[in-house]
Amino acid sequence: MPAMPPDPAEAVQRAVAVRDVLRYASRTWQAVIGMAPEGGDQPGGVLGNLPSGVGRFMHLISQTCPNVIPVGVWKEQGHIDLRFGTPYHLDVPPRLSAHDRDKLVGEIVMNHIAMLLPERLRGRYSASNSTR
C-alpha cells in the first residue's frame, strides 16, 4: 500500500491497495497484516496524529482479523528496537458515526503502541500529556 498521508494523485492506487488488503484479510486464514498507522515518520520520531480514515480502515480489517498485536518500533544507538505487546481485540460500540469510529479506533491503537515505546517517543500519547 502506498505510504500515507495520501497524495491526491495516487487516489486510485490507494483505493486499489485498500481493497486488496481487505480482500486478502477476508480470504486468508489467520492473515497477518502489518501497518504503520501514521504512514510516515514524525518530527523527532514521536507518535503523531493519524491520517483521516486509518481508524476506520483498521476497524474494517479487524472484522476478519480480530487479533491486533501492537508493536513499538524505534531506533536507538544505531540499532532498531522492537517491542511486541499483548494481542487485543478492538471493542467499538455499535452505531458510531464513521468519524467517531475513526477517532476512537485510532486512539485505541495508538495508545497500545505508545505503551511499548520509551516515554520520550510517545508524543501526544504520553502519560504526562493531558491534551488527549
Side-chain angles (χ1 to χ4, degrees):
M1 180 171 200
M4 299 279 189
D7 176 345
E10 297 175 341
V12 172
Q13 283 179 290
R14 291 174 192 286
V16 168
V18 165
R19 285 192 296 272
D20 286 348
V21 169
L22 293 172
R23 186 177 310 110
Y24 167 76
S26 69
R27 294 180 179 174
T28 305
W29 185 72
Q30 293 187 340
V32 175
I33 300 167
M35 284 185 63
E38 292 169 286
D41 293 333
Q42 304 298 312
V46 301
L47 291 181
N49 295 325
L50 295 180
S52 178
V54 172
R56 288 191 317 263
F57 180 55
M58 295 185 79
H59 185 251
L60 283 172
I61 293 171
S62 76
Q63 304 306 298
T64 53
C65 299
N67 293 317
V68 179
I69 303 173
V71 182
V73 182
W74 70 99
K75 188 173 181 179
E76 192 161 36
Q77 298 178 351
H79 64 276
I80 302 291
D81 288 311
L82 294 129
R83 186 175 295 156
F84 291 83
T86 303
Y88 66 95
H89 294 167
L90 290 171
D91 185 21
V92 180
R95 298 189 184 112
L96 283 180
S97 71
H99 173 76
D100 289 344
R101 186 172 47 256
D102 189 38
K103 297 295 263 182
L104 177 62
V105 171
E107 288 292 313
I108 292 168
V109 168
M110 295 305 284
N111 278 301
H112 276 274
I113 293 170
M115 295 298 104
L116 301 171
L117 296 172
E119 180 72 28
R120 71 181 190 287
L121 297 176
R122 294 178 185 176
R124 65 179 293 259
Y125 302 95
S126 170
S128 62
N129 190 341
S130 60
T131 61
R132 276 192 233 175

